[in-house]
């Protein structure tokens, strides 16, 4: 075990030295010029994907490049049950203020009550579409069905309209610029509560018969299912894999510890994300201030499970 830990530390030091020597070349490869180093945090994964922190990219260059490519960005959110009235309006209003500002955006709201979706003033080149979904019996089933529903949508109108798509939870709101620096073929989000934890303590699924299971020693980071994204093709593959794993578990009478998030972590272990977002992109105010968290872009709303979940 001590030898494995030394090898892991050596690998991390190796990549940090590579970044310093080549001027954060990992970011350059993904179209984001380095502005300055953030020596206090990890800015590149062991497989060469950038980890996006405030100060490691030039937002103006990222914006110009996205406009040059004439991209449309999709943003999906599920607002079912009491979550619709509690969170959706603020989510959409703050997205208009901070999400991909100045770019073409199409919002997709999945809900069992389309008529209850609030009216929100949208800027130029920004559209909102509402898609009806069935009301699930348990909140866990809402989480579990999300991947299947997203897979179908990505194969339909959403997939034809958007070039890149982000899939977000509704019980959060934007608090800072969430821009095109976050775009990549596949994008994972470091979990705000777990990014400091050693791998042996991360809450992966451990039941050996689950399709989401990771064995001891497996896993890179713990990713949060409240934010993930990528190209339409990449997300079709991700959602199909997660939905298939969930169906396999269901057939075996199993349910992963953290539902779709467990399967998402298994997928990203097998298929490494092209870009990783730092906890600044999905931060919990309950954690409090951390020196490395400069500008949170998305904030968790207070969790009121007893009021919102049947």
């Amino acid at each position: 075990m001590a030898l494995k830990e030394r090898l892991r530390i050596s690998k991390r030091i190796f990549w940090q030295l590579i970044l310093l020597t080549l001027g954060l070349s990992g970011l350059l490869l993904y179209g984001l010029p380095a502005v300055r180093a953030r020596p206090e945090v990890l800015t590149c994964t062991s497989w060469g994907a950038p980890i996006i922190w405030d100060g490691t990219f030039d937002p103006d260059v990222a914006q110009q490049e996205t406009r040059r490519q004439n991209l449309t960005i999709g943003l999906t959110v599920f607002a079912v049950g009491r979550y619709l009235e509690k969170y959706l309006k603020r989510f959409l209003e703050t997205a208009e203020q901070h999400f991909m500002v100045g770019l073409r955006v199409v919002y997709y709201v999945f809900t069992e009550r389309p008529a209850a979706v609030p009216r929100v003033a949208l800027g130029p080149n920004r559209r909102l579409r509402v898609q009806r979904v069935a009301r699930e019996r348990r909140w866990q089933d809402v989480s579990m069905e999300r991947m299947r529903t997203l897979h179908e949508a990505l194969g339909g109108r959403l997939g034809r309209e958007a070039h890149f798509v982000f899939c977000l939870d509704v019980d959060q709101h934007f608090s800072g610029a969430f821009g095109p620096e976050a775009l990549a073929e596949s994008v994972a989000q470091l979990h705000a509560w777990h990014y400091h934890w050693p791998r042996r303590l991360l809450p992966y699924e451990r039941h050996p018969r689950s399709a989401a299971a990771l064995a001891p020693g497996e896993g890179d980071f713990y990713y949060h299912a409240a934010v993930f994204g990528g190209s339409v093709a990449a997300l079709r593959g991700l959602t199909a894999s997660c939905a298939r794993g969930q169906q396999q578990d269901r057939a075996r009478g199993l349910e992963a510890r953290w539902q779709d998030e467990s399967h998402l972590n298994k997928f990203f272990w097998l298929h490494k994300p092209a870009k990783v977002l730092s906890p600044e992109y999905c931060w919990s105010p309950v954690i409090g201030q951390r020196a490395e968290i400069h500008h949170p872009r998305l904030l968790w709303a207070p969790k009121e499970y007893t009021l919102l979940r049947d």
Side-chain angles (χ1 to χ4, degrees):
M1 184 62 70
L3 177 59
K4 286 186 177 180
E5 184 65 16
R6 286 198 298 272
L7 288 173
R8 187 182 67 82
I9 294 171
S10 298
K11 184 184 292 185
R12 175 174 293 188
I13 293 172
F14 169 77
W15 280 106
Q16 288 175 336
L17 290 173
I18 289 292
L19 288 175
L20 290 173
T21 303
L22 299 180
L24 293 173
S25 61
L27 293 178
L28 288 168
L29 288 171
Y30 287 82
L32 294 173
V35 176
R36 67 177 186 273
R38 289 283 304 270
E40 80 280 18
V41 293
L42 185 66
T43 56
C44 187
T45 69
S46 61
W47 59 94
I51 304 175
I52 306 302
W53 294 85
D54 180 66
T56 61
F57 62 92
D58 185 328
D60 294 331
V61 173
Q63 184 88 349
Q64 291 168 11
E65 179 62 20
T66 305
R67 284 181 172 174
R68 186 189 66 78
Q69 296 181 48
N70 198 28
L71 298 177
T72 296
I73 314 303
L75 176 58
T76 71
V77 64
F78 285 70
V80 298
R82 301 186 186 100
Y83 280 71
L84 192 156
E85 289 86 0
K86 180 70 176 177
Y87 299 117
L88 183 59
K89 190 171 190 293
R90 190 179 188 192
F91 177 92
L92 293 173
E93 288 176 342
T94 58
E96 275 297 285
Q97 297 169 17
H98 300 294
F99 181 76
M100 304 293 169
V101 174
L103 303 176
R104 287 206 311 269
V105 170
V106 56
Y107 300 105
Y108 268 72
V109 175
F110 296 90
T111 180
E112 83 282 22
R113 291 178 291 139
V117 172
R119 293 175 179 265
V120 174
L122 301 179
N125 298 315
R126 298 171 81 92
R127 302 185 302 278
L128 186 147
R129 305 202 187 285
V130 180
Q131 187 164 326
R132 184 187 295 274
V133 294
R135 178 71 185 272
E136 300 296 337
R137 183 174 57 86
R138 305 180 308 144
W139 67 264
Q140 294 95 333
D141 294 327
V142 174
S143 174
M144 297 287 278
E145 285 298 309
R146 180 169 68 149
M147 292 298 183
R148 182 186 60 80
T149 302
L150 285 172
H151 182 72
E152 292 176 356
L154 288 160
R157 188 175 188 177
L158 171 59
R160 295 190 296 271
E161 285 189 303
H163 299 93
F164 292 89
V165 176
F166 275 93
C167 308
L168 271 62
D169 282 356
V170 72
D171 54 346
Q172 48 193 347
H173 66 271
F174 292 89
S175 58
F178 195 117
E181 74 281 352
L183 297 175
E185 183 66 14
S186 60
V187 183
Q189 170 68 57
L190 291 181
H191 199 294
W193 282 97
H194 302 306
Y195 73 104
H196 272 313
W197 288 20
R199 181 167 53 182
R200 69 180 184 279
L201 297 180
L202 294 176
Y204 298 128
E205 175 59 41
R206 297 301 189 190
H207 194 298
R209 294 184 63 240
S210 172
L214 288 176
E218 293 184 337
D220 301 301
F221 304 98
Y222 190 80
Y223 302 114
H224 195 178
V227 178
F228 62 95
S231 71
V232 169
L235 285 179
R236 285 270 290 168
L238 182 157
T239 53
S241 177
C242 290
R244 186 166 54 249
Q246 291 168 332
Q247 184 59 40
Q248 290 172 359
D249 278 6
R250 197 173 288 124
R252 297 167 181 164
L254 300 173
E255 184 175 286
R257 178 181 182 184
W258 295 109
Q259 293 82 41
D260 59 344
E261 186 169 272
S262 297
H263 291 272
L264 181 78
N265 273 275
K266 177 63 173 286
F267 181 87
F268 279 137
W269 163 243
L270 297 175
H271 311 275
K272 310 299 188 191
K275 185 173 287 182
V276 176
L277 301 181
S278 74
E280 292 174 316
Y281 282 81
C282 189
W283 186 247
S284 172
V286 176
I287 297 173
Q289 294 184 335
R290 290 259 177 92
E292 67 271 20
I293 305 298
H294 292 181
H295 298 293
R297 315 306 174 100
L298 195 63
L299 292 174
W300 301 17
K303 305 300 181 184
E304 301 180 33
Y305 296 141
T306 56
L307 297 175
L308 298 171
R309 292 176 174 176
D310 293 335

